[in-house]
Amino acid sequence: MQAGPLRHQATPQRVGIAGAGLLGRLAAWTLARQGHTVTVFDPAQDALPHFDGQGAAGFTAAGMLSPLAELDAAEPEVAQRGWHSIERWAHIVDTLAKEGPRQPHFDRAGSLLVAHGSDLGAAQRVLARIEAGARQWPQQAQPLNPTELRELEPALHGHQGPLHAWMLPGEGAICTVGTMKALHACAPLVQWQWGHRVTRIAPGELTSVTEQGTETAHQFDWVFDLRGTGARPQAPVRGVRGEVIWLHALGVKVHRPIRLLHPRHRVYLVPRPGDVVVVGASEIESEDRSPVSLRSAVELMAAAHSIVPGLAEARILRMDVNLRPALPHNRPEIHAEPGLVRINGLYRHGWLLAPSLLDEALSRANGLN
């Protein structure tokens, strides 16, 4: 099938999207707003989060937007895309607020790196890697003295004495659950085919199978494969386990994302509206989707409590697990040819990279942006 160009205000195209995770919803919302006819296929039963380890990984993510912090283990391209995505998220969230009943939480007031005094050596090695990768940008890690840290985050202090801290300006966070819901709610013209697992993809074609086993071939002008780990075996993608714990910390005010630099852990805390704090670990090389283990839960919460003592009386709302899609080289890939676009391998950077990757993919698909 000969596909026409995907361009804003061009001849509307029929677009089929495999996957209703973060990329799938963002692509569907974007393309529908540009006038294209969009159908999305996903094996989930509906658009809501179920927090059972089986649904879209985008619901589980904490939503940190940290281009500088990711330079600890990622290439400068990740940071470059991240700065682009932060600007795009600001526009996307503002647009969603105008189209839907409520605006998903989004901020870019910076984030903090902190370390206990005994871990200063490990923290300085991380900072050296960040500084080496960030030389091309004006944003740099800024050391904070105890007074400056206390003014920024009064709830933040260590059990063993003052914390070492650095501000990462321009970084931020986005409410993942609220944004996923809004991208779906604000795309009423999209046809959402829930309970449909895509088994075959080709330019202009995809095949889906329902829960009852009914197989159907569908024809489109363009097909987008945005399935993440669901793209196996067609793509060499693996799952990387992520774990988060949602805490309700009444009266504990944390104003920005915080990463604790520790020789063994990369634990982060991300505030959400309503006195909620999401605590998580960056990555675990495992495809286990079982619930959070006692060991992980204790380590995560103990690390969080060690820098925010007020969390001692926080109530555990939820523990969640999911798998992030990663390719062998841990970098994302975009493939585009007439009638077909594939994006995969977002790894632990899904929310940081999604708008940038989608913009590039749509540009490669004959100019949609």
Side-chain angles (χ1 to χ4, degrees), residues 32 45 60 65 109 124 132 190 194 200 212 221 248 333 366:
Q45 64 189 52
T60 301
L65 304 176
Q124 288 175 332
V190 173
W194 303 108
R200 179 182 176 274
Q212 293 74 34
D221 298 310
H248 182 236
E333 286 187 353
N366 293 321

Side-chain angles (χ1 to χ4, degrees), residues 211-367:
E211 296 174 345
Q212 293 74 34
T214 302
E215 183 176 89
T216 307
H218 309 267
Q219 303 291 316
F220 297 97
D221 298 310
W222 285 86
V223 168
F224 283 69
D225 186 358
L226 309 176
R227 292 175 292 169
T229 56
R232 292 185 294 194
Q234 293 95 335
V237 61
R238 75 185 191 280
V240 179
R241 179 180 171 100
E243 301 176 339
V244 296
I245 299 173
W246 292 57
L247 302 176
H248 182 236
L250 184 63
V252 178
K253 298 300 180 184
V254 178
H255 301 95
R256 53 186 53 78
I258 301 164
R259 291 184 187 236
L260 173 61
L261 302 180
H262 183 277
R264 290 191 299 119
H265 307 297
R266 292 291 184 270
V267 176
Y268 52 78
L269 293 78
V270 181
R272 294 279 176 82
D275 293 329
V276 172
V277 177
V278 179
V279 182
S282 294
E283 62 182 276
I284 302 171
E285 280 292 343
S286 169
E287 293 200 342
D288 179 11
R289 292 181 182 268
S290 66
V292 177
S293 70
L294 182 146
R295 176 180 175 179
S296 289
V298 168
E299 288 184 350
L300 287 176
M301 288 186 285
H305 178 244
S306 75
I307 56 174
V308 183
L311 292 177
E313 293 301 319
R315 296 310 190 243
I316 301 171
L317 297 178
R318 177 168 58 247
M319 297 186 186
D320 194 18
V321 170
N322 218 310
L323 301 183
R324 293 90 160 257
L327 295 171
H329 47 48
N330 290 339
R331 295 191 300 274
E333 286 187 353
I334 300 171
H335 169 87
E337 61 181 281
L340 176 63
V341 172
R342 299 180 189 268
I343 310 175
N344 212 324
L346 274 66
Y347 193 30
R348 68 186 191 192
H349 310 120
W351 286 86
L352 181 64
L353 298 184
S356 172
L357 292 170
L358 181 61
D359 285 352
E360 180 178 335
L362 297 181
S363 178
R364 291 191 194 181
N366 293 321

Side-chain angles (χ1 to χ4, degrees), residues 63-83:
M64 296 182 72
L65 304 176
S66 303
L68 287 176
E70 289 300 331
L71 288 169
D72 173 25
E75 299 175 350
E77 180 188 357
V78 169
Q80 182 176 359
R81 288 189 179 279
W83 292 123

